[in-house]
């Protein structure tokens, strides 16, 4: 008796539905119509002879068996992608599709310097980018949704392989004339905890900023209201407080058109490490090492 083997496409549809919890969103993420995705999952259930998804008008709920199948499907899809990577790695370096997640406090400042050169010098490389927080990006890496991640340490990357790109110093940004005669660097004890504005939870730069201050009381009282660094700069420019910015953002001109002043924080912990991460033992490791080298060149002073 022959055993039915699910197709890669059916497993991709099932995993997408599990990730998004909504047929429409899963179909959009899979670049197919909702009816196509739904039909693919129904066909999978029919041929397996089991129910994987309980459907209602308001909610999509996976059965216990469905959750187990999704876990196994994630592993199978990752293996299939690594097989394709193995074949691709045998060809020219950095060609074909490469999916990369980048955290929001790096993407708008480093990528504009990198992408034009990649398009010019590596026209055969199709870089697929998605912006995610560090936690979500590493989840995407673990589940095979992306091939590599550009993020900042310190952050727990698990068993991912990492390659250093650059050290990124942290600066205090404050309104013009506040203080009227700012020193060349700002010591942590000079930071007014009542005026410090940081990114909301989920952004690792918030933790980097607090660590740079080396003051435990800031952890409890810092005003974490910013959704982006650009938002925080505008708040500072309107004299609503102080914030912490990475040097990468300053070099990219985030203070252009404002009267905000920035000075480096005088602390050995006032920096973050920019790294490229990928799954250990990936057959495309040589590609990632080359990509890291090119990112280092892009970050070097010209």
């Amino acid at each position: 008796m022959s055993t039915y083997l699910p197709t890669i496409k059916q497993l991709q549809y099932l995993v997408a539905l599990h990730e998004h919890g909504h047929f429409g969103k899963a179909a959009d993420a899979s670049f197919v119509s909702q009816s196509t995705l739904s039909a693919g999952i129904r066909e999978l259930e029919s041929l397996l002879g089991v129910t994987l998804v309980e459907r209602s008008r308001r909610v999509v709920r996976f059965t216990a068996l469905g959750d187990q199948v999704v876990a196994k499907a994630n592993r199978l899809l990752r293996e299939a992608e690594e097989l394709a990577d193995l074949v691709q790695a045998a060809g020219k370096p950095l060609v074909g599709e490469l999916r990369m997640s980048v955290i929001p406090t790096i993407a708008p400042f480093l990528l504009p310097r990198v992408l034009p050169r990649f398009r010019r010098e590596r026209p055969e490389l199709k870089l697929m980018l998605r912006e995610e927080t560090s936690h979500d990006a590493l989840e995407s890496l673990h589940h095979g949704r992306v091939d590599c991640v550009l993020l900042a340490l310190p952050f727990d990357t698990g068993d991912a392989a990492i390659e250093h790109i650059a050290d990124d110093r942290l600066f205090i940004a404050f309104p013009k004339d506040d203080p009227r005669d700012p020193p060349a660097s700002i010591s942590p004890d000079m930071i007014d905890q009542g005026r410090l504005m940081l990114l909301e939870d989920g952004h690792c730069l918030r933790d980097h900023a607090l660590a740079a201050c080396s003051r435990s009381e800031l952890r409890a009282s810092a005003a974490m209201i910013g959704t982006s660094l650009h938002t925080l700069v505008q708040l500072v420019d309107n004299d609503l407080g102080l914030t912490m910015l990475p040097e990468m953002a300053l070099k990219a001109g985030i203070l252009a058109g404002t009267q905000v002043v920035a000075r480096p924080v005088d602390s050995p912990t006032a920096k973050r490490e920019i790294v490229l991460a990928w799954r250990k033992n990936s057959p495309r490791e040589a590609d990632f090492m080359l990509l890291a080298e090119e990112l280092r060149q892009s970050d070097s002073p010209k």
Side-chain angles (χ1 to χ4, degrees):
M1 183 175 66
S2 63
T3 301
Y4 172 70
L5 295 178
T7 66
I8 293 294
K9 188 61 68 179
Q10 289 168 343
L11 295 179
Q12 287 173 330
Y13 292 164
L14 187 70
V15 167
L17 181 61
H18 191 269
E19 178 184 354
H20 295 280
H22 185 277
F23 277 92
K25 293 178 181 177
D28 289 342
S30 302
F31 302 101
V32 297
S33 67
Q34 184 171 330
S35 60
T36 297
L37 182 133
S38 181
I41 294 176
R42 284 190 182 279
E43 181 183 32
L44 175 63
E45 291 178 311
S46 176
L47 291 168
L48 289 176
V50 297
T51 298
L52 302 174
V53 183
E54 297 176 358
R55 302 160 176 84
S56 71
R57 302 180 91 181
R58 294 187 176 180
V59 67
V60 172
R61 183 179 294 108
F62 275 71
T63 64
L65 179 59
D67 285 333
Q68 293 177 43
V69 172
V70 166
K72 179 69 74 173
N74 270 311
R75 291 194 292 272
L76 290 172
L77 291 173
R78 190 159 60 244
E79 290 286 342
E81 288 165 356
E82 289 177 358
L83 184 150
D85 289 345
L86 180 64
V87 175
Q88 188 163 302
K92 295 191 233 175
L94 283 182
V95 299
E97 184 176 297
L98 193 152
R99 302 163 302 166
M100 180 167 70
S101 283
V102 189
I103 63 173
T105 56
I106 292 178
F109 312 118
L110 181 59
L111 293 184
R113 301 207 305 269
V114 172
L115 297 183
R117 182 165 61 84
F118 277 9
R119 284 194 295 266
R120 184 176 63 254
E121 299 179 4
R122 296 194 177 275
E124 295 179 274
L125 174 64
K126 186 179 181 183
L127 200 55
M128 311 290 290
L129 300 170
R130 56 194 292 173
E131 190 175 82
E132 299 181 292
T133 62
S134 299
H135 176 270
D136 290 344
L138 288 168
E139 280 290 301
S140 292
L141 182 67
H142 174 71
H143 290 295
R145 294 189 291 269
V146 297
D147 304 305
C148 59
V149 174
L150 190 59
L151 75 164
L153 304 183
F155 194 86
D156 183 7
T157 58
D159 62 352
I162 61 172
E163 182 69 14
H164 172 84
I165 303 298
D167 287 328
D168 194 22
R169 292 191 302 166
L170 298 179
F171 285 64
I172 283 289
F174 45 86
K176 183 183 179 183
D177 298 329
D178 178 19
R180 293 185 182 278
D181 187 20
S185 61
I186 306 295
S187 63
D189 58 9
M190 293 177 62
I191 299 172
D192 184 348
Q193 62 175 322
R195 301 182 63 206
L196 183 62
M197 300 180 297
L198 300 174
L199 290 171
E200 62 185 353
D201 285 335
H203 293 273
C204 59
L205 182 59
R206 167 181 169 270
D207 296 325
H208 298 160
L210 292 170
C213 297
S214 300
R215 291 169 57 192
S216 59
E217 76 274 11
L218 288 176
R219 297 182 180 275
S221 59
M224 295 167 281
I225 61 173
T227 57
S228 73
L229 292 181
H230 289 88
T231 298
L232 290 174
V233 167
Q234 292 305 312
L235 293 173
V236 173
D237 197 32
N238 283 277
D239 204 12
L240 296 177
L242 318 172
T243 196
M244 193 93 69
L245 296 174
E247 186 173 20
M248 178 184 293
L250 299 177
K251 288 181 177 179
I254 195 172
L255 300 185
T258 75
Q259 294 188 318
V260 176
V261 178
R263 294 288 186 271
V265 180
D266 185 14
S267 168
T269 59
K271 65 180 180 179
R272 59 180 188 164
E273 181 187 6
I274 311 302
V275 301
L276 185 70
W278 62 88
R279 291 183 294 276
K280 276 188 176 178
N281 303 317
S282 168
R284 299 188 70 182
E285 182 173 12
D287 273 356
F288 301 135
M289 295 291 287
L290 180 57
L291 177 61
E293 176 58 31
E294 300 216 358
L295 290 170
R296 275 193 292 271
Q297 292 175 9
S298 299
D299 191 68
S300 300
K302 299 294 186 276

